[in-house]
Amino acid sequence: MNLDNLMNLRFNPALGWPVGIAVAAIMIGFAIAVVVVHRRRKGESDETVWACVRRCAICIIIAILALTPSTIASTTSRAVNTTDVVIATDVTGSMAVDDAQYGSTKTMTRLDAAKKAIDDLTGIYDNSSFAAVHFGASATLDVPLTPDIGAIRNWATGLKTEPTAVSAGSNLDAPIDPLLVTLKQMRAAHPHDKIVLYYISDGEQTSAKPRRTFSSLRQYLDDAFTLGVGSEKGGQIPEVNAGTSDSSSDQTDTNDHGWVKDPATGQPGISKMNEKNLTNIADEMSGKCIVLDSAHKLDKSSVAAVSKHFRTVDTPKQRERVMPVVWPFSIVLALLLAMEMGSWLVNSRRLL
């Protein structure tokens, strides 16, 4: 303990001020009593002055320890702010339409384009945590918040459009409720994190129910994007049976089951990407709509630039830390007690 530490020495009772003061007062009282008794019994007792000083010192040191002498050390703590990326992906039947493009002229299903976008997101936000939701007739949180990028990639690889038999039409607001719960929990658990939502869909709303607004999610988000997959020209919707793959490579198997028909005409229905719906949803979350096509993929869009703003950030903060300094007093107390024990043993042997 150097001179600077001695200058900064202050009391900070480990047992609290009331108990610390009470114990210290009692021990000071004992120290005074030791001196008073020694003076009154002077000449009538074999107690030496050294014994009196030693016992008085023991009481005073215990009083000091009760008040816990401490020094204040200034430290710098760092709060690490990271990014939490939430991905909500449409798996309704229209996502099996083979009219999407992603950074090239090659045509693929809308869901395949969504999978490529998710794979790019895991690269763009390489220091982040992810959560994943899929939605169709209903919505489910498939992957709770995790820093495991592999888990998100595996989830995306396994995505399939829902079977035609269980489809109840596209309802774009299906993921609102699970997203609201998930985002609220994330904000409570990680108040300093940046939360970014990616909503991937073709924007088609075929349900007769009016769409609910996404504005309730805005309070928990730092940024939001809607990613449009598909084309304005559109395409026919293949029928998908349970357990049937809908990827571009297996599209022939899907076509063997025919096309989803328009109830009004009895002819195969045409599904088109609705950019207006996606733009409206983005506006409700104070976000941005990005249409993914032959000229646009996420690593070449403004998303890559924006993501740098949300990378891990160290926020230094000065703090004062109380450091008890009791070991010097404890050593002295141990030595005095050892001397007192030795003196007691010598006197005991003398009286035998």
Side-chain angles (χ1 to χ4, degrees):
M1 188 167 57
N2 55 36
L3 184 60
D4 290 337
N5 287 338
L6 287 174
M7 296 295 292
N8 293 328
L9 203 63
R10 64 186 68 182
F11 291 116
N12 187 48
L15 300 177
W17 280 104
V19 176
I21 291 175
V23 172
I26 292 172
M27 298 313 298
I28 293 297
F30 284 159
I32 295 172
V34 167
V35 175
V36 171
V37 170
H38 176 75
R39 289 179 62 86
R40 287 184 177 180
R41 297 174 60 186
K42 190 174 182 180
E44 301 178 2
S45 172
D46 59 353
E47 183 185 46
T48 63
V49 173
W50 165 239
C52 177
V53 171
R54 185 175 64 240
R55 292 163 185 169
C56 185
I58 290 173
C59 294
I60 292 174
I61 291 176
I62 293 176
I64 293 173
L65 291 174
L67 295 176
T68 315
S70 308
T71 59
I72 305 299
S74 180
T75 61
T76 301
S77 63
R78 292 186 176 272
V80 179
N81 300 336
T82 187
T83 306
D84 299 330
V85 181
V86 181
I87 302 172
T89 305
D90 188 348
V91 294
T92 54
S94 62
M95 291 292 285
V97 175
D98 189 17
D99 69 336
Q101 295 175 326
Y102 188 77
S104 72
T105 56
K106 180 183 178 181
T107 302
M108 63 191 75
T109 68
R110 297 171 184 177
L111 189 59
D112 281 341
K115 292 178 181 180
K116 289 182 177 292
I118 295 169
D119 187 65
D120 282 343
L121 282 175
T122 59
I124 294 170
Y125 294 93
D126 55 348
N127 292 323
S128 304
S129 296
F130 290 83
V133 173
H134 84 270
F135 63 95
S138 60
T140 304
L141 175 66
D142 297 321
V143 184
L145 190 66
T146 176
D148 185 0
I149 291 177
I152 296 298
R153 288 175 174 167
N154 290 336
W155 165 79
T157 301
L159 284 174
K160 296 182 185 323
T161 54
E162 63 184 6
T164 304
V166 303
S167 179
S170 299
N171 199 352
L172 296 176
D173 63 11
I176 289 180
D177 291 335
L179 283 175
L180 193 60
V181 173
T182 300
L183 293 174
K184 184 177 181 180
Q185 292 174 345
M186 289 167 56
R187 181 59 73 195
H190 309 282
H192 300 294
D193 285 8
K194 303 292 185 180
I195 301 179
V196 185
L197 172 64
Y198 285 91
Y199 177 96
I200 309 175
S201 175
D202 55 21
E204 188 175 46
Q205 171 88 10
T206 60
S207 173
K209 295 173 56 179
R211 180 180 67 80
R212 292 182 294 164
T213 178
F214 280 70
S215 58
S216 59
L217 306 180
R218 190 168 53 210
Q219 60 185 313
Y220 303 112
L221 296 173
D222 292 283
D223 209 347
F225 295 87
T226 55
L227 306 180
V229 289
S231 66
E232 293 183 355
K233 180 181 178 181
Q236 295 178 343
I237 308 170
E239 289 185 346
V240 179
N241 293 335
T244 303
S245 173
D246 59 317
S247 65
S248 299
S249 60
D250 295 324
Q251 193 65 45
T252 303
D253 296 336
T254 309
N255 290 345
D256 289 343
H257 301 287
W259 306 100
V260 175
K261 295 182 179 180
D262 185 341
T265 64
Q267 298 298 315
I270 301 296
S271 170
K272 300 179 180 180
M273 182 191 66
N274 192 320
E275 183 178 351
K276 181 179 179 181
N277 282 341
L278 293 171
T279 300
N280 289 338
I281 292 173
D283 289 341
E284 290 164 8
M285 297 186 293
S286 298
K288 179 181 179 181
C289 174
I290 299 175
V291 175
L292 305 176
D293 53 29
S294 61
H296 299 92
K297 55 185 295 187
L298 291 187
D299 59 353
K300 292 184 180 179
S301 71
S302 59
V303 175
V306 171
S307 70
K308 294 177 183 178
H309 177 66
F310 295 130
R311 292 295 177 90
T312 302
V313 178
D314 285 343
T315 305
K317 186 175 182 179
Q318 290 292 123
R319 296 180 183 274
E320 287 189 343
R321 185 160 57 96
V322 178
M323 302 174 61
V325 184
V326 297
W327 61 268
F329 301 96
S330 300
I331 292 174
V332 174
L333 178 61
L335 291 174
L336 291 174
L337 289 173
M339 291 180 186
E340 185 67 21
M341 178 63 70
S343 176
W344 180 81
L345 289 174
V346 170
N347 291 331
S348 297
R349 283 180 172 273
R350 188 184 305 165
L351 295 175
L352 290 177

